[in-house]
Amino acid sequence: MTPDSQSGRVQPSVVRRLGGIPLDRWGRFAVLLLALGLFLAALLAERLNDRYSAELQRQAVAAQATVLRDRLAINLGGDIQLVQGLVALIAAEPELDAARFAHAARAILAGRTRLRNVAAAPDMVIRLIYPLEGNTAALGLDLRSRPDQASAADQARRDRQAVLNGPIQLVQGGCGFAARFPVHVERPGAEERFWGLVSALIDCEQLYRDSGLLETGTTLEVAMRGRDGDPDSDVFFGRAGIFDEDPVLIELPLPHGSWRIAAIPYGGWPAHAANVWTLRLALLIVLLLVLLPAMALARTASTTRALSQRTAEALSLTEATLEATDNGILVIDLAGRVVSSNQRVIDMWRIPHALLETGDDAQILTHVIDQLADPEPFVRKVRELYEHPDASSRDTLLFRDGRVFARFSHPQRVGSAVVGRAWSFLDVTDQTRAEQNVRELSRQLSEELERSEQQRYLLQCLLSAIPDAVWMKDPQGVFLSCNPEFAQMLGQDVDRIIGTSDDDYFPPEVAEAFRADDRRAAESTTPIRCEEWIDYVSDARRVLWATVKAAVRAEDGRLLGVLGIARDITSQHTVLTELEEARNAALQASEAKSRFLAHMSHELRTPLNAIIGFSQMLDMGALDPLTAQQQTAVSHIRDSGRHLLELINDILDLARIQSGQSELNLDAIPLDPLIDEVMALSRPAADGRRICIDRGGEAGLHVYADRTRLRQVLLNLTSNAIKYNRLGGRVTIDVEPAGEWVRIRVSDTGAGIDESLREEIFQPFQRLGAEKTAIEGTGIGLIICKHLIEAMGGNIDFDSVTGQGSRFWFELRAVHPEPAVRRPTVTTLQDGLDGQLHGCVLYVEDNPVNLAVMEHLFERLPGVEFLNAIDGETAMARLTERRPDLVLMDINLPGMSGIEILRWIRDHPHLHDIPVIAVSANAIPETIQASLEADFQAYITKPFEVDQLLAQLRAYLGAPRPD
């Protein structure tokens, strides 16, 4: 500083040049540095803002893409779950037919689904498809024969999970995804069996639309890749270039593989944040505030102008709001003048434009009041409110034309001073009418609920009166109702059971079994029935229930629940079990008895075969000639043997009849030829005792009977009438109708039967003293007759007069058949040992005595070569060495049985046509029938009659052999 030469003060120029730089330069430099710093800070802030905005936008895009992915997963998973339900049905019912498949598939495709069709391919061949229309060409298609389908089909089978292929272009237009599901069927005690595949076609466009991919106005641009489940394959939806624009990537897992979803904002990622200009403006404002303090005054003025403008905008917005509201608004000052109103109040009160232009508030008020149904309350309320300016009110106005307004009134204040009143009117005509309708519906609903409650009470009383257990569940398995019998099983009150399920009372596996039955009943069109053992929850007792379950549906077919009814059949089951055990025991006893009788028959017939056989040959002179005394002895031996054979046959016959094993072939039987046959068969015995046999009564009658058994009864009664008659007596067989019956009587002129012996006459082995005489008999013939007649639906009895004779009679139901053509009877001639038989016979027999009888017989047949074998091995060797013309085969042989040897013969290429006749002591009908069914040409029981055997020999050896 330099002092002034006159005053000594420092000069201003010196101060400005302090330090060598003027102060304005420092200021400008500082401002420049500050501006540069603020500019760099602004660039950094903008860069950080862009990065933060980009991250937020990626998060928003990821969130929206996740929603799209979840929609795709839900829709796709829902369709797959529907088809897997069908897969479960096929696994439970692998033999389901086309109707059952169509019913299940129709239920799947009936809801909101993207499925176009469903097909089932057992063993990889499409056999079932729904709907058939437009898809019949696919039936019979072998998936393994199509290269484009074989790989996916094999993959589904190999991986035991669903495989999704596509999208594929469809012949009928559009595209679709093909889903293939393997079906495995469980087999008890064995591994699962691969049944085949279930294929489903999912509509691409419908899937995209339902998932929101095709919505217009979306802010995202989306692309997807992953054809056939390979996320790295080509793009099948959207623009492929999206994957090159730094998209948000999300994986959508599939049953096998996945899809990759790429998403970017519509139009691409922005270069800067959306608020970049806002940020730049803010930074600029900050810069201006720092650099130019004077801008604060200008900004203050600008702010004032902006506030004024906003105030004007707010007033304009308020007016627009008043015009847009549904309420009619009217503002009146304390003097009663209209200050403001909206068009709605004019329209509601129907104020004419001409009246409105007059500005006469009194005329307008009169116009308003004239529209009211009762103006007095309106005027009174207006007066009250003006007398009390601070009061508010709400009431309802009723119009003459039926309209209804809600009226609201509030004081209008400026600060705390009341300057007027605002009236608001709302047309509530529709709401009032709706409320009236609701009240009416509520009244009707109350009445209906009361009736429903009465019906529910009556139903509950009915259920309580039913002795069976009754319950009903909703489709989710929750109990809706039950009766006390069912509640007793669970040990709970009825009210506490409602709202619970089987899981609350039973183990998981039992509850699941009940649910499976419920599902089966819900799917069935008819009630299902089953028997199941139930453990009572209340007292742990175990009972057997006969259960019936049926689906309950609404009128539109919607499933309401499953109704179940069960009855305790434990006691019936116990009785049936005991009866079954008793029956089995009886069958075992009967079988043991049959085996015993068969064994005894065989053991008795074997020696009788020798006795009767040799006696016949002795009697026929087949051996050395006999003296008269020897001839008599042989006759006694033969007759005794035949008597013993008859006794054995009768015992076996009685045993079969008593055990119920005797089969009857009932038919219309003419009596005349049958009686003639019986008389012809009985005449030799009658002639031996000089007894005359004749018949009487009506001719041409028919009865409903078994011809063989009826012949047996007539022969037995006629034989008795001859045996127990006097020498030179008479036997009469007569027939007469008796209403719906026919009575057949056999009368004799013997000694008669005392009345005291009536109860004993039809007892087995009861001969009434005849066993002390020379009259032969077994004592079981009459009991056999009684059983046979009763088995044929008839009855038998007798009348007798001591010293005059007896008359046995029986009745059978009469029938009237159509006339039949009479056919001649063919009889076999008995030619005797005339030497006309030729050929070779092999006899297989292990019993030496029976073999000796047969050898003696064939010695009288010089034209027949006789071979023998004692067992199966020897027989096969004989047959191989020398082919016979006939084989006589015993059944019971050591080692191989006769039936086994017969099978070997029938299977032999050179011996299969040899006739084989069974010769056995086993006379059980079942054994005879089984032998004939095994392809024996005939069955001869031992002991046999020589004439019977000769008849068979003539049938196969009668033709002369060629030289």
Side-chain angles (χ1 to χ4, degrees):
M1 287 187 284
T2 60
D4 185 77
S5 58
Q6 296 181 358
S7 61
R9 294 177 295 176
V10 178
Q11 296 297 321
S13 61
V14 177
V15 176
R16 288 194 296 269
R17 293 192 296 270
L18 183 64
I21 301 175
L23 289 177
D24 55 337
R25 286 186 177 182
W26 282 102
R28 287 193 297 271
F29 182 74
V31 170
L32 181 61
L33 288 178
L34 181 60
L36 180 61
L38 290 174
F39 178 76
L40 294 176
L43 290 178
L44 179 61
E46 181 177 337
R47 180 67 56 87
L48 293 176
N49 182 64
D50 289 342
R51 184 179 301 173
Y52 179 72
S53 176
E55 184 62 28
L56 289 179
Q57 191 165 20
R58 289 191 72 88
Q59 292 178 5
V61 170
Q64 294 181 56
T66 301
V67 172
L68 291 177
R69 188 269 313 272
D70 293 343
R71 288 179 180 175
L72 276 170
I74 291 172
N75 292 330
L76 195 59
D79 294 340
I80 290 175
Q81 288 296 323
L82 287 176
V83 180
Q84 285 178 340
L86 179 61
V87 170
L89 174 63
I90 296 176
E93 300 179 23
E95 302 299 331
L96 84 171
D97 55 9
R100 176 69 170 140
F101 177 84
H103 176 75
R106 188 183 304 113
I108 292 176
L109 270 63
R112 182 176 179 82
T113 177
R114 276 64 52 189
L115 296 172
R116 295 186 65 168
N117 60 60
V118 181
D123 297 326
M124 297 292 196
V125 179
I126 295 179
R127 303 295 185 193
L128 304 170
I129 192 167
Y130 183 85
L132 278 174
E133 183 178 359
N135 298 304
T136 54
L139 291 175
L141 174 64
D142 191 337
L143 299 179
R144 295 165 294 190
S145 65
R146 293 285 298 273
D148 57 338
Q149 300 189 30
S151 175
D154 290 337
Q155 186 177 17
R157 176 176 183 177
R158 182 177 62 255
D159 295 345
R160 298 174 65 90
Q161 64 179 359
V163 173
L164 187 68
N165 294 104
I168 57 177
Q169 294 301 318
L170 304 179
V171 176
Q172 56 270 41
C175 65
F177 293 99
R180 295 175 175 86
F181 302 81
V183 181
H184 292 83
V185 179
E186 293 184 359
R187 296 181 297 177
E191 295 183 354
E192 289 184 343
R193 176 178 66 86
F194 175 71
W195 179 86
L197 294 180
V198 171
S199 298
L201 185 62
I202 301 174
D203 190 309
C204 289
E205 184 176 357
Q206 190 66 37
L207 176 64
Y208 298 156
R209 182 178 295 106
D210 291 348
S211 301
L213 292 175
L214 302 181
E215 291 180 358
T216 59
T218 179
T219 61
L220 291 185
E221 191 174 0
V222 179
M224 289 193 295
R225 67 169 27 144
R227 187 179 298 275
D228 298 334
D230 182 6
D232 296 322
S233 62
D234 57 329
V235 176
F236 63 85
F237 178 84
R239 184 168 52 87
I242 293 177
F243 281 89
D244 301 325
E245 298 178 14
D246 190 23
V248 174
L249 298 178
I250 298 178
E251 295 288 328
L252 172 59
L254 301 175
H256 191 282
S258 63
W259 290 346
R260 184 168 295 159
I261 302 174
I264 63 174
Y266 195 86
W269 298 106
H272 298 284
N275 63 342
V276 61
W277 288 108
T278 303
L279 178 63
R280 289 175 179 177
L281 180 61
L283 293 174
L284 180 60
I285 292 173
V286 171
L287 180 62
L288 294 175
L289 287 174
V290 174
L291 297 178
L292 302 173
M295 290 295 296
L297 295 175
R299 187 174 182 182
T300 301
S302 177
T303 302
T304 302
R305 289 193 300 270
L307 289 175
S308 298
Q309 184 179 358
R310 289 181 181 177
T311 301
E313 291 176 353
L315 290 175
S316 177
L317 181 61
T318 301
E319 292 177 359
T321 302
L322 291 176
E323 292 297 334
T325 184
D326 288 336
N327 289 30
I329 306 298
L330 182 66
V331 180
I332 300 177
D333 62 13
L334 294 179
R337 294 187 297 269
V338 177
V339 176
S340 177
S341 66
N342 64 353
Q343 185 62 35
R344 177 62 175 162
V345 73
I346 297 173
D347 296 337
M348 291 176 64
W349 287 98
R350 300 175 181 176
I351 301 175
H353 183 69
L355 180 60
L356 191 62
E357 288 182 346
T358 63
D360 190 340
D361 295 340
Q363 291 186 13
I364 295 175
L365 180 61
T366 302
H367 174 78
V368 168
I369 292 175
D370 289 343
Q371 299 180 57
L372 298 174
D374 187 3
E376 182 59 31
F378 176 85
V379 175
R380 185 170 58 251
K381 175 59 71 175
V382 171
R383 290 173 180 170
E384 291 177 359
L385 291 175
Y386 278 97
E387 291 174 358
H388 302 85
D390 292 336
S392 298
S393 73
R394 181 192 186 284
D395 58 354
T396 302
L397 303 178
L398 302 179
F399 285 69
R400 293 178 178 178
D401 58 3
R403 289 179 297 156
V404 181
F405 284 0
R407 179 177 62 177
F408 306 89
S409 180
H410 300 280
Q412 187 181 29
R413 290 183 173 88
V414 175
S416 60
V418 177
V419 297
R421 178 166 294 278
W423 298 85
S424 175
F425 302 95
L426 178 64
D427 189 343
V428 294
T429 305
D430 294 338
Q431 179 181 348
T432 303
R433 291 173 180 172
E435 290 175 352
Q436 292 174 351
N437 293 334
V438 169
R439 286 193 292 271
E440 177 62 22
L441 289 175
S442 178
R443 184 189 62 79
Q444 295 177 1
L445 181 60
S446 299
E447 295 176 355
E448 185 65 27
L449 287 175
E450 183 178 358
R451 287 194 297 270
S452 298
E453 185 65 23
Q454 293 176 353
Q455 293 176 356
R456 190 190 70 81
Y457 175 74
L458 293 176
L459 178 60
Q460 192 63 40
C461 292
L462 177 62
L463 291 177
S464 300
I466 296 177
D468 298 331
V470 182
W471 68 95
M472 184 172 177
K473 304 176 186 176
D474 67 7
Q476 287 71 43
V478 177
F479 288 107
L480 299 176
S481 63
C482 67
N483 68 344
E485 185 65 25
F486 184 80
Q488 181 185 3
M489 185 271 292
L490 295 181
Q492 297 287 344
D493 294 334
V494 172
D495 294 338
R496 299 189 65 180
I497 294 175
I498 296 174
T500 62
S501 66
D502 292 322
D503 292 316
D504 297 317
Y505 307 103
F506 300 102
E509 62 275 8
V510 177
E512 178 57 31
F514 289 156
R515 285 192 292 271
D517 288 343
D518 294 342
R519 288 192 295 269
R520 195 156 53 90
E523 295 170 357
S524 176
T525 56
T526 58
I528 63 170
R529 293 173 171 82
C530 64
E531 293 183 1
E532 51 191 352
W533 287 98
I534 301 296
D535 294 323
Y536 268 50
V537 179
S538 56
D539 54 10
R541 59 191 172 98
R542 187 172 177 81
V543 300
L544 180 63
W545 272 9
T547 305
V548 179
K549 291 185 177 181
V552 180
R553 299 187 180 275
E555 293 182 357
D556 58 359
R558 178 171 48 88
L559 180 65
L560 299 178
V562 175
L563 175 67
I565 303 175
R567 175 169 294 179
D568 184 354
I569 60 170
T570 309
S571 58
Q572 296 93 318
H573 176 75
T574 302
V575 172
L576 291 176
T577 302
E578 293 174 351
L579 289 176
E580 182 67 19
E581 292 175 353
R583 176 180 174 275
N584 292 334
L587 289 176
Q588 292 176 359
S590 176
E591 184 178 354
K593 177 181 177 182
S594 299
R595 288 197 301 268
F596 172 76
L597 291 174
H599 178 72
M600 292 304 299
S601 172
H602 183 272
E603 294 302 317
L604 291 173
R605 285 174 178 274
T606 298
L608 278 177
N609 185 53
I611 295 172
I612 296 177
F614 279 118
S615 64
Q616 286 184 90
M617 285 186 288
L618 288 171
D619 190 38
M620 296 167 60
L623 303 177
D624 295 337
L626 303 178
T627 63
Q629 185 177 5
Q630 291 173 334
Q631 185 73 33
T632 302
V634 167
S635 297
H636 287 309
I637 294 173
R638 183 194 62 213
D639 294 342
S640 298
R642 288 177 174 171
H643 175 68
L644 183 57
L645 178 61
E646 181 183 354
L647 176 61
I648 294 172
N649 290 335
D650 287 346
I651 292 175
L652 291 176
D653 202 11
L654 178 62
R656 283 194 297 271
I657 294 172
Q658 290 179 337
S659 63
Q661 298 177 357
S662 179
E663 295 184 359
L664 299 176
N665 295 317
L666 301 178
D667 201 355
I669 305 300
L671 290 176
D672 293 344
L674 185 62
I675 294 174
D676 293 340
E677 180 182 352
V678 170
M679 292 175 63
L681 291 173
S682 303
R683 189 161 282 115
D687 293 343
R689 303 195 67 206
R690 302 191 307 280
I691 294 176
C692 177
I693 301 179
D694 58 5
R695 67 158 296 176
E698 293 190 19
L701 297 179
H702 292 69
V703 293
Y704 189 63
D706 182 299
R707 189 182 190 284
T708 301
R709 293 305 189 179
L710 179 57
R711 176 178 174 274
Q712 179 181 351
V713 171
L714 273 174
L715 278 173
N716 186 280
L717 295 179
T718 305
S719 175
N720 286 348
I722 294 172
K723 287 192 297 183
Y724 296 103
N725 209 332
R726 58 182 174 82
L727 293 175
R730 177 179 295 276
V731 173
T732 303
I733 303 175
D734 63 276
V735 180
E736 66 178 10
E740 296 181 356
W741 302 86
V742 174
R743 174 172 289 193
I744 300 100
R745 295 177 295 200
V746 179
S747 306
D748 64 61
T749 56
I753 301 172
D754 191 270
E755 185 65 24
S756 62
L757 301 176
R758 175 176 290 276
E759 298 299 328
E760 303 177 20
I761 193 67
F762 289 108
Q763 297 299 320
F765 304 107
Q766 181 59 260
R767 299 191 62 199
L768 306 181
E771 67 275 6
K772 300 177 182 179
T773 67
I775 301 174
E776 296 180 351
T778 62
I780 59 176
L782 287 178
I783 185 62
I784 292 176
C785 292
K786 179 177 176 62
H787 282 301
L788 290 177
I789 292 297
E790 290 177 350
M792 290 185 287
N795 57 87
I796 186 171
D797 206 345
F798 74 97
D799 302 315
S800 182
V801 177
T802 304
Q804 297 183 14
S806 301
R807 180 173 58 189
F808 282 81
W809 56 267
F810 60 90
E811 291 179 337
L812 293 172
R813 190 171 296 278
V815 292
H816 305 283
E818 295 293 331
V821 178
R822 184 176 181 86
R823 300 182 181 274
T825 303
V826 179
T827 59
T828 302
L829 298 177
Q830 301 293 327
D831 298 329
L833 302 177
D834 52 8
Q836 296 180 359
L837 304 180
H838 302 277
C840 177
V841 175
L842 172 63
Y843 181 40
V844 185
E845 172 64 69
D846 64 320
N847 187 287
V849 177
N850 292 337
L851 185 57
V853 172
M854 197 67 74
E855 286 176 344
H856 282 292
L857 174 63
F858 276 90
E859 287 176 357
R860 302 294 296 172
L861 303 174
V864 178
E865 180 182 359
F866 181 76
L867 304 176
N868 67 78
I870 62 173
D871 54 30
E873 290 76 7
T874 306
M876 289 188 290
R878 291 276 194 274
L879 288 165
T880 305
E881 296 169 358
R882 173 81 164 86
R883 174 189 168 93
D885 297 294
L886 178 66
V887 177
L888 303 178
M889 182 78 68
D890 188 17
I891 299 298
N892 299 316
L893 293 170
M896 296 177 65
S897 68
I899 293 179
E900 292 174 332
I901 299 174
L902 175 66
R903 294 196 186 106
W904 179 85
I905 293 173
R906 295 294 178 246
D907 293 337
H908 197 282
H910 303 298
L911 307 174
H912 61 86
D913 56 346
I914 297 177
V916 182
I917 297 176
V919 182
S920 174
N922 192 333
I924 301 300
E926 291 79 5
T927 303
I928 296 174
Q929 182 64 30
S931 300
L932 294 176
E933 291 176 355
D935 204 20
F936 280 102
Q937 270 62 43
Y939 192 102
I940 299 175
T941 57
K942 304 173 189 175
F944 56 82
E945 295 291 335
V946 173
D947 289 343
Q948 180 186 13
L949 178 60
L950 289 176
Q952 294 293 339
L953 294 178
R954 290 189 189 96
Y956 296 102
L957 304 178
R961 298 181 62 185
D963 297 334

